[in-house]
Amino acid sequence: MKPLPPGRLGLPWIGESLTIAFNNHGFYKERVAKYGPIFKTRLFGINFVVFSGPEGFHRFATDPAIERGGTDPLSVKQIFTTSLALIDGPEHRKRKHAMLMAVRDRDAIARYVPDMQKIMMKYISQWESRGAFTLLPDLRRMAADFTVAMYTQDYSEEHARELDKILGWMREAFMGVPVAIPGTTYGNAIRGRNRLHKIIYEAIERHRRGNYDDVVSRMLASAKEMGLPDDQLMGDLKHLIFAGQGGYFVPLLLITMTLAQQPELMERAREEALRVAPDGPITMDQLDRMEYLERLSRELRRFFAMNSATFFGRVKTEIEVGGYRIPAGWGAIGGVHITMANPAVWEDPKRFDPDRFLPEHVAARPEGAYVPHGDGERAGHRCPGEDIVAVAVKMYLALLLRQFRWELPPQDLTLTNEVFPLPTSGLKIQFHKQSPQTRQQMPRAAEGLAHR
């Protein structure tokens, strides 16, 4: 009989629950370093196996013996009530289809591109005149404005501010003990969840009365066609809105920081932006041609610990993975960031290198190696927003690079211990306008960099 995976179960029932609650990313990093890519633990009274590395993660994501739901912590169940992320089987696939038609379909994303660009320029156009300022609040509000344009269609300033606030409360739900006392961090998270539920209900009613072309209108049309009830639609919209805000402002902040720290990458990216989309509205066809910006976007999502793990699952029947026996009934977790920091697959994984995603390197990489949004088929539990996130990152960079260079004043760039680790300072930054002459000369100056 194969052995159980290495690791420790800790104290009865509580196991290592407190450790993971207060140091989520550190928990996975420390244990994979000690035990290897597949290890056991006990969380919330359940024995779990964490699957990481290409073989382990791919097996977690694709093996029908592992199903989602039933083992997630209380905070996840309460924040993501009725979300398809917590179920499996035919109902999941049906609801996922409705979601993909709204957020993955290329024609749908192309429809959102002009609104996204308009919102980005609303903020970007102000940055050069502000001198040194902290970027994070602006990017959070930018992401809230994306939510307005794609979901709620309430363009009041008060509404965007409220979205930013309540989504911030909800993100904090996963950083402590889930006791919903009013006025506490978790109490505010539940309050934010309840308010978001009402906002989504109002948005659905607004869409039924009006004529819109956005995520909600497309999901309403698909839901009607497939006979999905409103409570399921609302749960899935709540998940998309919650994940979407962090899914936008976190990578935008981190890529801004990274290019300021590595000017040679900034110049390679600038050359492509000026060559492909030197001015005017940016189109989907232009975004598709931005190959270097695409590589930057992919390496960004590999390098930074944006997601520590997947939603949790359960092993239905005993399986063997990586030489270990996983008993039926045990919980299952896919370790996201530790998989993409695996030195057996990623040479020098602590180095930021977009050229890891040149076509020849991608083709040589095993399944389950690059998993920022999960693994397996799109109709499964892979995140539906990966394409639109890549579009947002490329558009943001193109708009910035063809107008500005930027630098970071002295500050504390240590990454925080949050669900989405960000610079402690919030990223203090100063933008400088590029002169027309500099912009015209830039492609020639960067020509050598582009072909290295």
Side-chain angles (χ1 to χ4, degrees):
M1 179 180 293
K2 299 287 186 181
L4 294 172
R8 62 188 299 269
L9 300 179
L11 299 171
W13 195 89
I14 194 170
E16 299 187 292
S17 304
L18 294 178
T19 304
I20 197 172
F22 291 105
N23 190 11
N24 183 279
H25 293 276
F27 172 85
Y28 292 102
K29 292 177 182 178
E30 291 166 7
R31 278 149 188 77
V32 78
K34 185 173 183 179
Y35 301 118
I38 299 174
F39 59 91
K40 68 174 180 283
T41 185
R42 181 184 286 128
L43 306 171
F44 332 113
I46 300 172
N47 292 345
F48 276 91
V49 170
V50 176
F51 297 82
S52 74
E55 178 189 4
F57 195 99
H58 188 68
R59 186 74 177 274
F60 166 83
T62 60
D63 194 326
I66 301 174
E67 64 179 359
R68 302 297 176 94
T71 60
D72 289 287
L74 181 63
S75 57
V76 171
K77 294 175 183 177
Q78 292 189 340
I79 294 297
F80 294 107
T81 51
T82 71
S83 167
L84 61 76
L86 307 183
I87 64 171
D88 228 320
E91 181 185 339
H92 173 271
R93 288 180 172 273
K94 188 176 182 181
R95 291 165 61 181
K96 187 65 173 287
H97 176 74
M99 185 181 286
L100 290 174
M101 293 300 294
V103 297
R104 188 201 172 213
D105 179 80
R106 191 180 187 281
D107 290 339
I109 295 175
R111 162 63 190 86
Y112 312 144
V113 160
D115 286 338
M116 293 174 71
Q117 180 165 342
K118 182 179 178 180
I119 291 166
M120 286 181 180
M121 286 306 303
K122 168 187 167 183
Y123 291 88
I124 290 172
S125 63
Q126 305 170 15
W127 288 348
E128 193 259 343
S129 63
R130 289 174 62 182
F133 70 101
T134 301
L135 186 59
L136 177 57
D138 274 31
L139 291 183
R140 283 183 48 168
R141 281 296 304 277
M142 181 190 290
D145 285 354
F146 289 164
T147 300
V148 170
M150 295 184 199
Y151 296 91
T152 69
Q153 299 296 328
D154 178 349
Y155 285 89
S156 67
E157 285 293 319
E158 295 79 11
H159 177 64
R161 281 197 296 268
E162 183 182 28
L163 280 172
D164 185 27
K165 179 174 70 174
I166 65 177
L167 291 169
W169 285 348
M170 291 171 68
R171 283 191 297 276
E172 294 177 351
F174 311 107
M175 295 302 296
V177 179
V179 179
I181 300 173
T184 64
T185 297
Y186 195 74
N188 283 337
I190 297 302
R191 179 183 169 193
R193 179 207 66 185
N194 294 342
R195 177 59 185 143
L196 183 58
H197 188 88
K198 292 179 181 178
I199 288 171
I200 293 170
Y201 175 81
E202 293 166 359
I204 289 175
E205 292 304 306
R206 186 178 298 115
H207 280 72
R208 285 183 170 144
R209 295 191 304 268
N211 182 23
Y212 303 99
D213 186 2
D214 59 10
V215 173
V216 174
S217 66
R218 288 170 182 261
M219 286 186 66
L220 278 170
S222 295
K224 182 178 180 180
E225 180 181 331
M226 293 183 286
L228 297 176
D230 278 2
D231 64 330
Q232 294 180 358
L233 184 65
M234 290 180 69
D236 296 341
L237 284 168
K238 180 170 59 181
H239 188 133
L240 281 174
I241 289 172
F242 172 82
Q245 195 198 26
Y248 292 122
F249 80 77
V250 173
L252 297 187
L253 189 80
L254 293 172
I255 195 61
T256 309
M257 178 182 73
T258 300
L259 293 192
Q261 293 172 318
Q262 302 192 52
E264 71 281 5
L265 302 186
M266 184 187 291
E267 296 315 317
R268 290 184 70 182
R270 190 189 312 281
E271 183 278 329
E272 181 173 80
L274 291 175
R275 174 168 44 82
V276 176
D279 50 40
I282 297 174
T283 67
M284 278 292 288
D285 288 341
Q286 288 174 324
L287 291 167
D288 289 342
R289 286 157 44 205
M290 294 179 182
E291 297 176 357
Y292 186 69
L293 268 59
E294 175 70 26
R295 300 205 298 273
L296 276 172
S297 171
R298 292 188 186 187
E299 175 68 348
L300 172 75
R301 288 173 278 163
R302 183 206 69 84
F303 182 84
F304 287 101
M306 298 186 203
N307 290 305
S308 60
T310 61
F311 286 87
F312 296 178
R314 186 185 297 276
V315 179
K316 295 190 295 183
T317 58
E318 183 170 293
I319 59 175
E320 292 183 6
V321 182
Y324 300 114
R325 173 176 59 91
I326 318 296
W330 278 38
I333 303 171
V336 175
H337 183 64
I338 54 176
T339 292
M340 297 187 295
N342 187 321
V345 177
W346 304 93
E347 182 180 353
D348 193 7
K350 294 183 180 181
R351 176 171 54 90
F352 189 95
D353 181 9
D355 287 345
R356 297 179 196 275
F357 293 92
L358 287 166
E360 60 268 27
H361 298 323
V362 173
R365 206 163 285 139
E367 291 182 307
Y370 182 66
V371 293
H373 303 277
D375 193 22
E377 59 180 334
R378 293 296 184 95
H381 279 276
R382 189 165 171 170
C383 174
E386 60 183 296
D387 295 326
I388 199 168
V389 168
V391 164
V393 171
K394 290 192 287 186
M395 181 184 295
Y396 171 80
L397 286 178
L399 291 172
L400 278 184
L401 289 163
R402 69 189 191 180
Q403 297 184 67
F404 299 116
R405 59 180 176 84
W406 58 93
E407 60 190 13
L408 305 180
Q411 60 191 288
D412 184 359
L413 294 175
T414 305
L415 298 183
T416 58
N417 180 32
E418 297 178 289
V419 174
F420 304 125
L422 295 171
T424 300
S425 63
L427 199 63
K428 296 176 184 176
I429 195 163
Q430 184 158 15
F431 289 93
H432 302 281
K433 193 79 171 178
Q434 293 288 302
S435 68
Q437 292 82 6
T438 303
R439 291 177 58 192
Q440 291 170 4
Q441 294 168 5
M442 192 61 65
R444 292 193 297 272
E447 185 175 356
L449 289 169
H451 297 287
R452 284 197 310 191

